[in-house]
Amino acid sequence: MQQHSPTVLVFDSGVGALSIGGEIHSRLPWLNLTYALDSAGFPYGEWPEEELTAHICTTARRLAEHYQPDLLVMACNSASTAVLPALRATLSIPVVGVVPAIKPAAILSRSKVIGLLATPGTVTRAYTSQLIQDFAEDCCVISVGDGSLAPVIERWFWHGELASDTGAHLALEFSRHPRAQEMDTLVLACTHFPLLADHLATHFPGVALIDSGAAIARRVEQLLATPAQSREAAGTQKAVIIGDHCASAVLQQRLEERGITRNELFSGR
Ligand code: DGL
């Protein structure tokens, strides 16, 4: 008898959900994925922590009631570093958070000088400082909080515009640090950034760029033990855009390229 395949809700302020969901889909193609893109709430990296927590908990509860997922991935570093305890208390399903990949970066780095590129929210969170203290105490961590790159990537996915020098200002920011020349590992601690990793790499020659996507897919696999019969059929993938604007033609095409064949609107209120 065909078993039901679990559904995972991958929730972000925008297209960052696609980088995390893409990793989950390639590792676990039988899962049904619902990508929730909170266009109305974007950018989370600029919200005050308390308001962001309230907004995410309310929105996640409404999404969970409507879509009945088996697990929720909070596919956003800016949100996860602020809201995980409250979100887990709000929902009755498992919640997987995406937080900066400081620990693997500290292990990987030979020079012990690592970069952290995130939104302004993520770099200032107590959660992030604690991660550095716990896992990178022997490293010099060069942090750059940038509020411009996620909106550029969001626009690129919605409208197809990307300036050829995108990211050049970030290399300049890092280069101001006295130990910048020694930096050999850079943590992309915003889920939007891996979507632009190949391009960013050209601005950071010789530096390994790392993110949390693959680790998140492994964590989802551990939490959702799927019976062998349910792994045979391909899972469905759909996008839910929270707000008032349907997917543009450019975004629709990008979703389809990823096998996300349906998209629908979900009211932001
Ligand atoms: N994708 C979000 C993150 O991982 C950032 C974008 C935003 O500011 O909303 O931090």
Side-chain angles (χ1 to χ4, degrees):
M1 190 180 71
Q2 181 75 36
Q3 301 269 326
H4 147 90
S5 186
T7 296
V8 174
L9 185 71
V10 186
F11 177 22
D12 179 42
S13 58
V15 298
L18 304 178
S19 75
I20 297 293
E23 294 278 0
I24 298 171
H25 181 69
S26 26
R27 188 173 180 93
L28 311 163
W30 53 85
L31 293 182
N32 298 314
L33 298 186
T34 301
Y35 298 79
L37 281 53
D38 187 4
S39 215
F42 180 86
Y44 286 170
E46 307 284 339
W47 283 58
E49 208 166 319
E50 252 176 60
E51 284 170 42
L52 182 62
T53 302
H55 172 76
I56 300 265
C57 289
T58 307
T59 309
R61 192 176 48 237
R62 291 179 55 233
L63 287 165
E65 276 165 14
H66 192 84
Y67 293 103
Q68 299 283 313
D70 298 284
L71 181 147
L72 181 139
V73 176
M74 189 68 249
C76 174
N77 293 261
S78 310
S80 294
T81 50
V83 312
L84 283 180
L87 188 56
R88 290 191 170 119
T90 301
L91 301 178
S92 55
I93 52 172
V95 173
V96 175
V98 176
V99 300
I102 298 286
K103 184 179 177 181
I107 294 169
L108 184 72
S109 174
R110 299 175 77 89
S111 65
K112 300 298 170 197
V113 179
I114 64 181
L116 172 66
L117 177 60
T119 63
T122 298
V123 292
T124 54
R125 302 258 192 265
Y127 191 108
T128 304
S129 309
Q130 193 63 48
L131 275 180
I132 293 172
Q133 203 174 309
D134 290 348
F135 301 113
E137 219 187 6
D138 59 339
C139 295
C140 164
V141 179
I142 309 175
S143 297
V144 169
D146 178 80
S148 67
L149 189 57
V152 164
I153 294 171
E154 197 67 23
R155 266 199 306 281
W156 176 41
F157 266 68
W158 277 78
H159 305 296
E161 301 149 9
L162 185 72
S164 58
D165 62 348
T166 300
H169 70 290
L170 298 169
L172 190 66
E173 277 299 310
F174 279 99
S175 74
R176 296 205 168 99
H177 192 278
R179 297 192 63 189
Q181 289 295 328
E182 296 166 72
M183 186 174 97
D184 64 355
T185 310
L186 175 62
V187 181
L188 299 181
C190 165
T191 55
H192 281 63
F193 300 167
L195 297 169
L196 196 61
D198 292 346
H199 177 90
L200 288 175
T202 63
H203 294 294
F204 295 93
V207 176
L209 306 188
I210 70 164
D211 65 75
S212 310
I216 297 303
R218 289 195 297 274
R219 182 71 187 133
V220 170
E221 185 173 26
Q222 280 167 1
L223 290 171
L224 292 177
T226 314
Q229 307 94 295
S230 308
R231 298 180 178 202
E232 282 154 21
T236 59
Q237 294 193 86
K238 76 169 170 199
V240 173
I241 297 170
I242 304 171
D244 304 320
H245 301 284
C246 305
S248 62
V250 176
L251 180 61
Q252 179 130 357
Q253 191 187 333
R254 290 193 189 282
L255 295 174
E256 281 169 15
E257 282 162 9
R258 288 172 159 72
I260 304 168
T261 48
R262 283 176 46 208
N263 71 80
E264 63 197 41
L265 267 184
F266 187 80
S267 164
R269 289 167 288 275

